[in-house]
Amino acid sequence: MRLDLTGKTALVTGSTQGIGEAIATALARAGARTAVNGRKPDAVAGAVARIRAEAPGAELVEAVGDVASAEGVAGLRSAVPEVDVLVNNVGVFGARPALEIGDDEWRRYFEVNVLSAVRLTRTYLPGMKERGWGRVQYIASDSAVAIPAEMIHYGVSKTALLGVSRGFAKEAAGTGVTVNSVIAGPTHTGGVEGFVHELVDDSLPWEQAQREFMRLHRPQSLLGRLIEPEEIANLVVYLSSPQASATTGAAVRVDGGYVDSILP
């Protein structure tokens, strides 16, 4: 199966590192003109340079903007007026005892993790429907289904994202546009490394810390290890492709078997 996105424009939010950068790299390799997004110009420029090294000849766009605000989305649209593939990846997470999460922090998690995706979908979905082709994806998490005790605000925001995805899939019904969420499992990124060391002995070497984290905090994983960002990106590229034309309104798992369910 050759996944060819030549002639398509993709936007990946929060793509200057981790899963977002891996997704942007994979889409660029598949031939998509890819917009790399982040809040800081230097971070965006650095990610573009790294992606160009991994995908020689790729057409890349520096799309600087804070998608957690209406003003940031408006500015982003000026840089990228139309997209064929929208990947809502940007998100924040962190451990916090449930009773210590204040209103402002709850609002911040919803602004970044949920409303950014809603705003961008409202911005780009109408054009996709008019053209009769498009792909909208939301990077969710196993935490949407199995709410983690140490960060329920993050888990609940991702649960909301599953509902957002299903709702917009109905809005796009019959138009040639597919809308899906991707349930990513525990993934190895720089941010997660810090998170792991918050929860286990930070003096342990990384490989040992990772195993201890999975044993103590994610024992239901069937993979028994953290997922690499490229493994998430592989699924996103498939869902972005013409070959995935019959998959919409779905929550597709790439979670290493973390969610204990026989249904998606």
Side-chain angles (χ1 to χ4, degrees):
M1 183 184 293
R2 184 170 185 269
L3 304 179
D4 186 0
L5 294 172
T6 302
K8 305 298 185 184
T9 295
L11 167 62
V12 185
T13 64
S15 47
T16 59
Q17 61 182 342
I19 293 173
E21 184 175 331
I23 291 170
T25 301
L27 289 169
R29 282 176 174 160
R33 174 177 177 261
T34 303
V36 179
N37 165 253
R39 292 177 298 167
K40 299 177 181 179
D42 289 350
V44 172
V48 165
R50 291 190 296 273
I51 294 169
R52 184 165 285 121
E54 294 291 328
E59 185 178 357
L60 302 170
V61 178
E62 295 186 15
V64 180
D66 182 0
V67 297
S69 70
E71 296 79 10
V73 170
L76 191 63
R77 189 173 191 182
S78 297
V80 192
E82 294 182 345
V83 302
D84 304 294
V85 177
L86 170 63
V87 182
N88 293 289
N89 167 76
V90 72
V92 292
F93 70 94
R96 178 85 67 182
L99 296 178
E100 295 179 12
I101 306 169
D103 288 357
D104 288 344
E105 192 165 3
W106 274 103
R107 291 188 187 99
R108 183 171 75 92
Y109 271 66
F110 269 77
E111 283 286 352
V112 177
N113 294 0
V114 183
L115 290 178
S116 66
V118 170
R119 291 189 187 101
L120 285 163
T121 304
R122 285 201 312 253
T123 298
Y124 290 114
L125 180 57
M128 295 180 187
K129 290 171 63 178
E130 289 174 9
R131 294 188 297 274
W133 199 95
R135 301 287 185 263
V136 180
Q137 295 178 57
Y138 304 86
I139 305 304
S141 167
D142 55 80
S143 296
V145 182
I147 304 293
E150 72 275 8
M151 50 178 184
I152 66 168
H153 51 340
Y154 172 76
V156 170
S157 73
K158 291 297 185 177
T159 305
L161 208 55
L162 298 183
V164 166
S165 174
R166 181 68 184 182
F168 278 119
K170 293 179 179 180
E171 170 63 25
T175 66
V177 180
T178 67
V179 183
N180 296 288
S181 54
V182 172
I183 297 180
T187 305
H188 179 199
T189 65
V192 167
E193 286 192 15
F195 177 66
V196 166
H197 282 299
E198 285 181 19
L199 296 177
V200 301
D201 185 352
D202 61 8
S203 67
L204 294 174
W206 168 245
E207 289 301 325
Q208 187 177 347
Q210 175 185 190
R211 289 194 298 272
E212 188 71 357
F213 170 77
M214 296 300 287
R215 183 181 70 82
L216 293 176
H217 298 282
R218 302 293 186 268
Q220 59 269 56
S221 170
L222 302 182
L223 201 60
R225 63 168 173 82
L226 290 172
I227 298 163
E228 293 301 321
E230 293 76 15
E231 294 175 300
I232 310 296
N234 290 338
L235 178 58
V236 172
V237 173
Y238 168 70
L239 290 174
S240 302
S241 72
Q243 286 91 332
S245 56
T247 302
T248 192
V252 187
R253 290 163 51 193
V254 56
D255 66 342
Y258 178 86
V259 177
D260 191 7
S261 171
I262 60 173
L263 296 175

